[in-house]
Amino acid sequence: ALMIGAMMVVPFMDALAKLLSSHYPVLQLVWARFFFHFLLVLPVTLWRYRGAVMDAPAPMMQVGRGLCLMGATICFFGAIRSIPLADAIALIFFDAVIIVILSGVLLNEKVPPERLVASVAGLVGVLLIVQPGFGNFQWASLLALAAALFFALYFLSTRYLSGNTPPLVMLAWQGVGGFVVMSTVVPLVWVTPSPADFSMMAALGFIGAIGHLLLIRAFEYAEASLLAPFLYTEIIMQVLLGYWLFGDLPNRWAVAGITLIISVGLYLSLSPGSRNNS
């Protein structure tokens, strides 16, 4: 439920980034995403945990985890600036398959065959929904694939650190790298936003912080390979936002894809492996 909640929140950030990307540099949008995340989370974390924030275990991994998220955000925002949102989403959802495969290698998790099958089935559902047209290859597609790898590494490091670090502390640490790095770069590309656009930029950070807090909580309770297929539920909200903001209506193939994704989620939630890990 926590993972699905995160996947229902994060698409609002992607939609705002898509709307803003035609008027502002990608690096400025990434800066806004991390700056306002940091501005929101750090005071709350310091109020709640005080000096214990600096005693978080594995600080280098904490920062590295945030840098993986920064890399994923830069690549994804860059991709949706140049290629259709549907194509970028279809490519980035390969992160679920990467997570299932690498969770056994990096985290020593036992990955039942049905989880790998569920991940592949979920990817088929995504492709049915977005129906990407890859007839003419575009180099920006490689940015979306790079984002998928960065996201997978971010999710795996989140799972590794979960349980040893309070969620709010993890959320604060993951914003440090992006905040520092992007704050040194953004003056070079700065475009002064209107008040309305500045509010939307602030929303990038706030929505991202809420979504990733839910995600961190999810990894406290379940293995990465179990949660990975639930990443596909994000496409459901993407379809709804696509209709609301861009007038895109899902066709019968998209409906079939949504049905498949929901079926995969129900199967995993009811499977014996899921119950044993709860």
Side-chain angles (χ1 to χ4, degrees), residues 3 95-97 99-100 119 219 223-232:
M3 176 60 81
D95 64 353
V97 178
I99 291 168
V100 170
S119 295
F219 278 103
E223 296 176 348
S225 59
L226 174 64
L227 291 174
F230 289 97
L231 294 171
Y232 294 123

Side-chain angles (χ1 to χ4, degrees), residues 166-239:
L168 270 178
V169 174
M170 287 183 66
L171 199 64
W173 274 91
Q174 81 178 38
V176 171
F179 167 74
V180 173
V181 172
M182 298 313 302
S183 292
T184 61
V185 173
V186 74
L188 303 176
V189 298
W190 182 263
V191 175
T192 302
S194 66
D197 289 348
F198 188 78
S199 298
M200 292 172 67
M201 289 182 184
L204 290 176
F206 295 156
I207 294 171
I210 293 170
H212 283 270
L213 178 60
L214 293 172
L215 186 145
I216 290 169
R217 293 286 293 171
F219 278 103
E220 285 189 318
Y221 294 106
E223 296 176 348
S225 59
L226 174 64
L227 291 174
F230 289 97
L231 294 171
Y232 294 123
T233 57
E234 181 181 354
I235 197 63
I236 298 173
M237 183 56 71
Q238 292 283 9
V239 169

